[in-house]
Amino acid sequence: MNFYLSKEQQALRNSIITFADKELNKHISEIGKQNALPSHLWKVCAEQGLMGLVVGKEFGGAGLDAFSAIVAIEALGYGSRDGGFNFSLCAQLFACTVPLQKFGTEAQKKKYLPSICNGSIMAANAITENTAGSDIAAMRSSAKKEKDHYILNGSKTFISNGPNSNVLIVYALTDESKGFHGGITAFVFDKETPGVSTGPDIEKMGLDSCRMGSFSFDDVRLGEEHILGGPGGGATVFGYSMDWERAGIAACHVGAMEHLLETCISFVNEHSSGKEPIGRKQVIAHRIANMKVQLEAARLLTYRAASGLDKEKETTMHASIAKLFVSETFSSMASEAVQLHGARGYIRSGGIERILRDATASTIYSGTSDIQRNIIAGWQGL
Ligand SMILES: Cc1cc2nc3c(=O)[nH]c(=O)nc-3n(C[C@H](O)[C@H](O)[C@H](O)COP(=O)(O)OP(=O)(O)OC[C@H]3O[C@@H](n4cnc5c(N)ncnc54)[C@H](O)[C@@H]3O)c2cc1C
């Protein structure tokens, strides 16, 4: 398997790194103070084509293949220092835009994709419930069919971009007797639909720029035109989204890890404790070597998963392997970076502790590490 980037992919990577470095890092000292999405940057990223990387050109997207899109997101992770903003963008792209592009009807695509691509609306994906996180099959939200429409009742929580969103993709039980496969349907609809209530912002440990919220649904009336992926097709839509999200967010983390490693190398070369830079001590140099090995392994696993997106059945397993390894490596590398920087790693103004707080979430969202291991074990027949 050859993972060398083509000339076009290399140019794409360079252009996004230059763009992100110039446009997306100006607000960096403000992160965490307002706990709000820097929404003006949403439009800026849309103009760069980041909101619709894999969306067809006829709907205002860039029409990239899956691997090129993943390269673009890795470049974003490298160039943009705001992990919360990057996560916000990835959450919309992989869990909303990608399934709309894949499963949306022509009318749904026309209605939502151009506005998502030009940054004028935001979408959020809502599956998790208070007692149905890892075990999403235990969801209680239901959409009961009445003649030609459905009545949605229930609630969703921990929804990234929820407070900022205009459009929701919501998963609900439509046929309890069929269980998760066949019994759950995805619906796409405007947040302003009567019966939808938005809960207050949920405060978090990190990912400051990405707002999180909750929703409750009280007799929300949805016509059949709101179904995404067909009645009972929710598990397929969700599974497809998760393959992309796991591989895609892993790519974003690979970019962030590469930048973090460079930051650590500069620091150990410049910072002296006693007579010489700490990088001259073998124990420190070995820590850097370990980080480099972790980064390269993380990138290979991510590219392995990305290369199968939309192509092979085993993508689900490879996306879980990449997600598991990259998120755990990202967390441990961020923790190592704090230690390497000493007090400078721990103080807010250094920006290193923020990466650790952001990375901690990566082993939870898109399925916890335990759940990734369950999926991988399942593919081994266990
Ligand atoms: C930053 C962030 C953003 C998120 N964004 C979204 C979003 O946009 N949309 C959305 O719908 N959800 C979102 N979530 C929710 C996320 O998907 C869930 O938090 C996650 O699936 C875990 O569910 P839970 O938190 O309910 O934990 P639980 O499922 O209650 O798990 C608690 C613990 O038990 C373990 N556990 C549970 N079941 C098993 C099992 N079968 N085998 C082994 N271990 C198990 C878990 O690994 C974990 O350690 C987000 C979460 C975070 C942290």
Side-chain angles (χ1 to χ4, degrees):
M1 205 166 288
N2 181 353
F3 289 132
Y4 291 109
L5 302 191
S6 67
K7 269 191 188 157
E8 291 76 20
Q9 287 163 342
Q10 194 62 57
L12 174 71
R13 177 182 160 84
N14 293 343
S15 71
I16 291 176
I17 290 173
T18 307
F19 157 78
D21 195 36
K22 185 163 167 251
E23 303 292 342
L24 303 183
N25 294 329
K26 293 174 191 159
H27 68 295
I28 218 77
S29 60
E30 297 299 313
I31 296 175
K33 288 189 187 157
Q34 298 159 350
N35 200 18
L37 179 85
S39 42
H40 61 288
L41 295 181
W42 211 250
K43 280 254 174 200
V44 175
C45 285
E47 281 159 22
Q48 185 68 18
L50 287 169
M51 297 305 170
L53 288 170
V54 290
V55 173
K57 290 189 175 163
E58 68 276 27
F59 298 112
L64 292 182
D65 61 277
F67 194 85
S68 299
I70 295 297
V71 168
I73 290 298
E74 182 191 345
L76 176 76
Y78 179 85
S80 160
R81 302 277 54 76
D82 186 344
F85 180 80
N86 297 346
F87 176 70
S88 230
L89 191 150
C90 286
Q92 170 177 278
L93 179 64
F94 298 121
C96 300
T97 314
V98 161
L100 270 169
Q101 166 74 24
K102 172 81 176 174
F103 300 101
T105 61
E106 204 58 17
Q108 288 169 343
K109 288 183 187 183
K110 272 191 190 145
K111 181 167 182 195
Y112 295 118
L113 288 178
S115 311
I116 287 176
C117 290
N118 71 25
S120 56
I121 63 167
M122 260 180 98
N125 152 69
I127 191 159
T128 306
E129 300 179 3
N130 258 332
T131 53
S134 299
D135 185 6
I136 43 176
M139 75 168 62
R140 299 313 313 154
S141 292
S142 68
K144 294 224 159 63
K145 191 157 188 206
E146 283 185 5
K147 293 185 187 155
D148 59 348
H149 61 270
Y150 290 79
I151 302 292
L152 173 66
N153 280 290
S155 62
K156 299 286 174 183
T157 191
F158 308 135
I159 310 306
S160 302
N161 296 330
N164 299 89
S165 61
N166 312 88
V167 180
L168 303 177
I169 294 180
V170 175
Y171 295 81
L173 266 176
T174 41
D175 187 345
E176 204 164 350
S177 68
K178 290 188 176 153
F180 187 59
H181 294 278
I184 284 171
T185 300
F187 294 88
V188 56
F189 53 93
D190 294 352
K191 196 170 81 174
E192 296 309 315
T193 307
V196 178
S197 313
T198 308
D201 272 44
I202 299 172
E203 298 290 321
K204 311 184 260 58
M205 172 181 177
L207 298 172
D208 294 327
S209 296
C210 176
R211 290 172 68 189
M212 179 187 262
S214 61
F215 294 102
S216 56
F217 309 107
D218 186 10
D219 286 341
V220 179
R221 190 185 159 99
L222 299 169
E224 287 174 352
E225 69 277 15
H226 294 285
I227 293 178
L228 179 64
T236 306
V237 176
F238 183 68
Y240 185 79
S241 309
M242 283 302 106
D243 288 351
W244 275 79
E245 183 169 288
R246 286 168 187 153
I249 299 186
C252 195
H253 294 153
V254 168
M257 284 159 65
E258 183 171 14
H259 193 276
L260 182 59
L261 175 58
E262 289 173 7
T263 305
C264 288
I265 293 171
S266 299
F267 180 77
V268 302
N269 277 327
E270 287 159 13
H271 178 71
S272 294
S273 177
K275 287 185 190 136
E276 56 177 15
I278 58 170
R280 300 258 173 86
K281 298 177 198 306
Q282 193 182 49
V283 68
I284 300 285
H286 280 189
R287 287 198 215 168
I288 296 288
N290 285 343
M291 284 177 156
K292 176 66 177 165
V293 173
Q294 287 176 327
L295 167 65
E296 293 301 326
R299 179 178 283 125
L300 279 176
L301 288 176
T302 301
Y303 284 5
R304 173 68 189 85
S307 69
L309 283 170
D310 262 347
K311 287 198 198 104
E312 61 177 5
K313 211 173 146 215
E314 288 191 358
T315 293
T316 298
M317 178 186 73
H318 288 295
S320 280
I321 292 173
K323 199 277 184 186
L324 175 64
F325 184 81
V326 176
S327 61
E328 296 203 336
T329 303
F330 186 31
S331 298
S332 64
M333 196 191 263
S335 175
E336 187 73 285
V338 169
Q339 298 302 325
L340 268 182
H341 282 75
R344 290 163 191 82
Y346 192 68
I347 59 174
R348 283 272 153 105
S349 60
I352 304 291
E353 57 80 41
R354 177 163 41 78
I355 301 172
L356 176 58
R357 288 188 286 112
D358 291 350
T360 301
S362 69
T363 55
I364 301 173
Y365 55 66
S366 320
T368 65
S369 287
D370 295 320
I371 296 309
Q372 304 314 315
R373 287 190 172 88
N374 287 352
I375 294 169
I376 297 161
W379 278 86
Q380 313 316 306
L382 300 168

